[in-house]
Amino acid sequence: VSGAPSEQCGTAADGATLTGPSRNGFCANSDEDTHAVCASSLPANFCGDTGQSGWCTPFVGGPWCICMWAFAEYSEQHGCVDLNLAATDKEGICQKYSDNGKDLKKARECLRCPP
C-alpha cells in the first residue's frame, strides 16, 4: 500500500526552498506524482547525469524529492543514493516496475523491495 511519507524530506540546500512537488517539505505519494524519493543529499553529478541540469543545480548538496525514474537512472550509473526512507514512499515504489518509461529495477534493489 502506498501513501504519503511519514516525515518531511526537508529544506533544500539553498536554505529556503521546501522540498516536494507541493513545496511543503514532503515527497509525493508514488500513486500521485513521481517525486516520491527523498535523497538525503543530492549528489553533485545528479543533475547532469539524469539530464536535469537546467533546474536542479541550486539544490545539490541538500535533501530533495527526486523522480522515481531519475533515482533508478542515477543508481544504475553510480550505485544507490543515500535516502531518507521515512520521507520516501518505499511501499508504493516497491509496487511499481516503471516510471516515465524507465525500468525501476535498480530503484527497487536500492530500496530492498521484496521480489
Side-chain angles (χ1 to χ4, degrees), residues 5 7-28 33-44 46-47 50 52-71 81-85 87-89 93:
E7 290 184 11
Q8 282 193 334
C9 187
T11 302
D14 66 2
T17 307
L18 286 175
T19 60
S22 300
R23 297 295 181 261
N24 63 359
F26 286 91
C27 294
D33 189 279
T34 186
H35 301 91
V37 181
C38 178
S40 299
S41 180
L42 200 62
F46 180 87
C47 303
T50 59
Q52 302 182 83
S53 55
W55 67 266
C56 89
T57 304
F59 307 114
V60 165
W64 197 253
C65 296
I66 58 176
C67 300
M68 293 180 282
W69 68 264
F71 171 52
V81 176
D82 288 332
L83 301 178
N84 176 343
L85 285 177
T88 297
D89 182 11
I93 298 166

